[in-house]
Amino acid sequence: MNNDRNPDKNQPRSPTLEDVARAAGLSPMTVSRALNNPKVVRPGTISRVMEAVNSTGYIPNMLAGGLATKRTKLIAVVVPQINNNMFVDTVQAIGDELALRGYHMLLCIVGYTTESETEIVSTLLTRRPDGMVLTGIHHSSDLKRVILNANIPVVEIWDMTPTPLDMLVGFSHEKIGHAIGHYFLEQDFTRFGLICASDRRAQVRKNGVIDVLRSRPGSFIRDITVTAPANMEVGRSGLSQLIEEDKAFDAIICTSDTLAQGAIMEAEARGLRVPQDLKVIGFADLNFAAHNRPAITTICVDKVKIGQQAANMLADKIEGHEVAESVIDIGFSLIVRESA
Amino acid sequence: MNNDRNPDKNQPRSPTLEDVARAAGLSPMTVSRALNNPKVVRPGTISRVMEAVNSTGYIPNMLAGGLATKRTKLIAVVVPQINNNMFVDTVQAIGDELALRGYHMLLCIVGYTTESETEIVSTLLTRRPDGMVLTGIHHSSDLKRVILNANIPVVEIWDMTPTPLDMLVGFSHEKIGHAIGHYFLEQDFTRFGLICASDRRAQVRKNGVIDVLRSRPGSFIRDITVTAPANMEVGRSGLSQLIEEDKAFDAIICTSDTLAQGAIMEAEARGLRVPQDLKVIGFADLNFAAHNRPAITTICVDKVKIGQQAANMLADKIEGHEVAESVIDIGFSLIVRESA
DNA sequence: TTGTAGGCGTTATCAC
DNA sequence: GTGATAACGCCTACAA
């Protein structure tokens, strides 16, 4: 028989639990325990294992581990975008918090063109994540079925509903709209322009604003929806368009700080002083809002907290802890600065 | 024997290939082929399989698949940060491009405090990714050993060296420093202030600048390193500090647009006009740079292209295609706007 | 405290 | 074109 050294050692297979076990003179199972549940194995044995791990350069295979345990320590995160400043803080917070808890983040950036959220999520489920974060609350019934079938905890974020798929941490875009509307009505303004991004959440905020403004008879309201990406240029041209149609506005309400920044720039280019001649308000309190001149009055939502809570709710539920509140409204605040 | 229906159907196990096979009246192997290599199976069989897939709600298990094939369609991406605007475009581009190629992105945000890159990468390797993206080129020998052992394609990004671990797409921070230095020397300035972030790449850019500025006798150079995060406030106080120590500067060189934006703000607060009284240059051409007033003169690097190239080089190599150039210098350009 | 047997869900490989 | 069998690397369950 061929009982020489192992055959064809030329394609270096990465070491397995069995290799470590052999090196340590133990069974694979003992090695596994030493690594994952050290308290049930004798200290001396653990050191032997550790030595063998180092000498072999063993790196566990979580595919195999996950297959066996049905737990992957993987969280799938679905967001529409990260480079528009809107979700990036939340994503980073999720990643940071998950890392602390020993999870990895499978990040999927889907764009606003929901080609098929169901398909995307199904592909993600293929990895058997322990949990999932979904941006938004509007899902097809197909998607709901797939998610429910997967039978994993899910947190929906950046939105609010009393009836989430599972858990939720977000805030009410409608209430934000109302708050903005009231803020301006209290100042007795009557002529309003709205520059609204095309995404669904922005539209909800806009509708909230309009609902309130309409409640005051004599309000003049013009709103335009601008196409993605909602960058500064788009904000500028948005204001241009509004002003060219109807000269005089008291306040311009933008569905993002970026649009607001653009609108302010355009206003000043046209010789309108902000806030003296025109108020401008944004949304999200993006990193530049406080530093812009004029500093942008805006709605602040705790983007980091959303991510932290989402990550921890997920990890808690996965690990079998009670999740006290499964729907968390983190609220918002209107930050009055210079622009309005 | 117990040949009733399957026992304890109360904990709904998610359907497997075998369930689909049963539903279709085929063997698991045929179902697998119908799904992964349809051309070798009869069309009629494929439809039977598809029907069974739909009726069972089958979602493949890539843990099992990956275990068997040793291919995971997973790419691990390691970046220091995404919420400072520096790397977010690259990350999004990587994710987008990978999605196009059928890969998922395992994103790991490690912070600048490299607690132990080796440990982080090892944990990532636990998932048996098909490839990896690493930010930067300075790695411990431990890390190199681990990576090489893993025997997967790696792309280092956002830096330049003729001797990468494997592949690389980035640019030379030193050359950028030189370009900035020459730009100012050509204008016969002599008094320079540098506001430098604490990260390694920023330091390299700074040193590049200083090397060139020093080459002109009589140059006065002051540089300060500011602590992370390099936000606008830090830029403001950086300029304050410089000015309070040494009044007159011709130009302020910042290692990011964010710092530059802060410096400009502070300058104007002190009654210094930019660029008339003081030039300010930034780095990265972040989204606001072109829109700031004054628009920020800066160095533009194609952050999206870095991501796209990295993703495609990886996918190409994984799929066995030739990767023509394994080291790509995407270069940079100095964009002269208003601030300098 | 440690070891053995069997299975997790898929695919490679070889047979039909 | 389709099926049977044996891995893949780990862990649960039980035995010693």
Side-chain angles (χ1 to χ4, degrees):
Chain A
M1 281 97 163
N2 174 356
N3 56 9
D4 312 341
R5 309 303 188 316
N6 325 16
D8 58 310
K9 247 288 202 286
N10 37 9
Q11 35 189 356
R13 190 181 45 82
S14 73
T16 71
L17 217 42
E18 199 177 328
D19 297 319
V20 178
R22 201 177 357 256
L26 292 162
S27 79
M29 199 52 238
T30 302
V31 176
S32 172
R33 275 192 282 255
L35 262 21
N36 302 317
N37 194 11
K39 33 182 197 272
V40 306
V41 15
R42 187 191 305 152
T45 307
I46 294 185
S47 3
R48 275 163 68 198
V49 168
M50 287 318 179
E51 231 168 284
V53 165
N54 288 327
S55 75
T56 54
Y58 174 67
I59 292 190
N61 183 331
M62 289 192 83
L63 299 177
L67 225 208
T69 55
K70 294 173 176 317
R71 311 264 292 25
T72 53
K73 288 280 185 175
L74 229 203
I75 303 293
V77 176
V78 182
V79 291
Q81 250 191 59
I82 58 172
N83 66 353
N84 72 342
N85 277 27
M86 215 66 155
F87 302 106
V88 69
D89 288 333
T90 302
V91 168
Q92 171 141 1
I94 292 173
D96 290 349
E97 207 68 18
L98 286 180
L100 253 33
R101 293 274 221 139
Y103 291 79
H104 280 153
M105 173 173 66
L106 190 61
L107 180 64
C108 193
I109 304 163
V110 299
Y112 281 107
T113 61
T114 310
E115 45 169 292
S116 168
E117 204 191 1
T118 307
E119 206 148 319
I120 288 166
V121 167
S122 297
T123 319
L124 253 12
L125 287 175
T126 254
R127 310 279 176 184
R128 297 298 186 267
D130 288 340
M132 187 170 303
V133 177
L134 252 27
T135 305
I137 54 172
H138 299 101
H139 312 292
S140 68
S141 55
D142 261 8
L143 197 257
K144 289 181 190 167
R145 191 178 35 71
V146 168
I147 287 278
L148 263 2
N149 260 333
N151 200 31
I152 54 173
V154 173
V155 183
E156 290 163 280
I157 60 171
W158 270 80
D159 237 321
M160 184 48 59
T161 171
T163 55
L165 284 174
D166 179 10
M167 301 182 288
L168 177 149
V169 34
F171 53 90
S172 163
H173 294 266
E174 189 181 22
K175 280 188 192 163
I176 286 176
H178 293 169
I180 293 173
H182 286 299
Y183 177 69
F184 284 122
L185 282 192
E186 279 162 17
Q187 299 179 59
D188 287 323
F189 297 135
T190 57
R191 300 185 58 83
F192 304 98
L194 288 83
I195 303 176
C196 183
S198 56
D199 75 89
R200 188 163 197 160
R201 275 172 285 278
Q203 299 283 342
V204 175
R205 294 194 293 276
K206 178 195 73 175
N207 292 335
V209 173
I210 291 179
D211 284 351
V212 169
L213 295 183
R214 284 242 178 82
S215 69
R216 165 87 43 99
S219 285
F220 171 83
I221 306 170
R222 270 277 171 284
D223 79 278
I224 57 170
T225 294
V226 297
T227 55
N231 59 26
M232 288 174 69
E233 289 303 322
V234 167
R236 288 194 73 152
S237 63
L239 184 62
S240 288
Q241 194 183 327
L242 282 173
I243 285 184
E244 275 156 25
E245 288 175 12
D246 309 270
K247 294 267 172 344
F249 286 100
D250 296 323
I252 301 295
I253 294 148
C254 302
T255 59
S256 83
D257 290 340
T258 310
L259 291 174
Q261 196 178 25
I264 289 170
M265 194 174 313
E266 180 64 22
E268 302 201 338
R270 288 169 177 265
L272 293 169
R273 291 161 308 162
V274 176
Q276 296 89 333
D277 304 322
L278 184 68
K279 318 289 178 191
V280 177
I281 191 169
F283 167 75
D285 194 22
L286 300 183
N287 48 27
F288 58 83
H291 305 296
N292 195 68
R293 280 170 319 147
I296 300 174
T297 291
T298 190
I299 297 290
C300 174
V301 299
D302 195 333
K303 304 183 280 295
V304 168
K305 194 172 169 192
I306 292 179
Q308 291 173 334
Q309 297 260 26
N312 282 314
M313 287 163 78
L314 232 28
D316 283 344
K317 191 152 181 182
I318 290 165
E319 292 162 16
H321 310 149
E322 274 310 305
V323 175
E325 302 171 281
S326 63
V327 176
I328 296 181
D329 186 340
I330 62 147
F332 60 88
S333 53
L334 199 162
I335 303 194
V336 177
R337 291 203 267 245
E338 300 165 355
S339 72
Chain B
M1 283 96 161
N2 172 355
N3 56 9
D4 313 337
R5 308 302 186 315
N6 326 14
D8 58 309
K9 248 286 199 292
N10 38 9
Q11 36 189 353
R13 189 181 45 80
S14 72
T16 70
L17 218 42
E18 198 177 329
D19 297 319
V20 179
R22 202 178 355 257
L26 292 162
S27 77
M29 199 53 236
T30 301
V31 175
S32 172
R33 274 193 281 255
L35 262 22
N36 302 316
N37 193 12
K39 34 181 196 275
V40 306
V41 15
R42 187 190 305 150
T45 308
I46 295 184
S47 5
R48 275 163 71 197
V49 169
M50 287 319 179
E51 231 168 283
V53 164
N54 288 327
S55 75
T56 53
Y58 173 66
I59 292 191
N61 183 330
M62 287 192 86
L63 299 177
L67 225 207
T69 56
K70 295 173 174 319
R71 312 263 295 21
T72 52
K73 287 278 185 177
L74 229 204
I75 304 293
V77 176
V78 183
V79 291
Q81 249 191 60
I82 57 171
N83 66 352
N84 71 342
N85 277 25
M86 216 65 155
F87 302 107
V88 69
D89 289 332
T90 301
V91 169
Q92 172 142 0
I94 292 173
D96 290 350
E97 207 68 19
L98 286 180
L100 254 32
R101 294 273 222 139
Y103 291 79
H104 279 152
M105 173 172 66
L106 190 62
L107 181 62
C108 192
I109 304 164
V110 299
Y112 280 108
T113 62
T114 310
E115 44 168 294
S116 168
E117 205 191 1
T118 306
E119 206 148 318
I120 289 166
V121 167
S122 297
T123 319
L124 253 12
L125 287 174
T126 254
R127 310 279 176 185
R128 297 297 187 267
D130 288 340
M132 187 170 303
V133 177
L134 251 28
T135 304
I137 55 172
H138 299 101
H139 312 293
S140 69
S141 54
D142 261 9
L143 196 258
K144 288 180 190 168
R145 191 177 36 71
V146 168
I147 287 277
L148 264 1
N149 260 334
N151 199 30
I152 55 173
V154 173
V155 183
E156 290 162 281
I157 59 170
W158 269 80
D159 237 321
M160 184 48 59
T161 171
T163 56
L165 285 173
D166 179 11
M167 301 182 287
L168 178 148
V169 33
F171 53 90
S172 164
H173 293 267
E174 190 182 21
K175 280 188 193 162
I176 286 175
H178 293 170
I180 294 172
H182 287 300
Y183 176 68
F184 284 122
L185 282 192
E186 279 161 15
Q187 299 178 61
D188 287 322
F189 297 135
T190 57
R191 299 184 59 83
F192 304 98
L194 288 83
I195 303 176
C196 183
S198 56
D199 75 270
R200 188 163 197 160
R201 275 173 285 279
Q203 299 283 343
V204 174
R205 293 194 293 277
K206 179 194 73 176
N207 291 335
V209 173
I210 291 179
D211 285 350
V212 169
L213 295 183
R214 284 242 179 82
S215 69
R216 167 84 46 96
S219 287
F220 173 84
I221 306 169
R222 269 276 169 286
D223 80 276
I224 58 171
T225 294
V226 298
T227 54
N231 59 25
M232 287 174 71
E233 289 303 322
V234 166
R236 289 193 73 150
S237 63
L239 184 63
S240 289
Q241 194 182 326
L242 282 173
I243 286 183
E244 275 157 26
E245 288 176 12
D246 309 271
K247 296 267 173 342
F249 286 101
D250 296 322
I252 301 294
I253 295 148
C254 302
T255 59
S256 83
D257 290 340
T258 311
L259 291 174
Q261 196 179 24
I264 290 170
M265 194 175 313
E266 180 63 22
E268 302 200 339
R270 288 170 177 264
L272 294 168
R273 293 161 306 163
V274 176
Q276 296 89 332
D277 303 324
L278 184 68
K279 318 289 177 190
V280 177
I281 191 169
F283 166 76
D285 194 23
L286 300 182
N287 48 26
F288 57 84
H291 306 296
N292 195 70
R293 282 170 316 147
I296 299 174
T297 292
T298 191
I299 298 289
C300 174
V301 298
D302 195 334
K303 304 184 278 297
V304 168
K305 193 172 169 192
I306 292 178
Q308 291 173 334
Q309 297 260 24
N312 281 315
M313 287 163 77
L314 231 29
D316 283 344
K317 190 152 179 183
I318 290 165
E319 292 162 15
H321 310 150
E322 274 310 306
V323 174
E325 303 171 280
S326 63
V327 176
I328 296 181
D329 186 341
I330 62 146
F332 60 89
S333 52
L334 199 162
I335 303 194
V336 177
R337 291 202 268 245
E338 299 166 356
S339 73

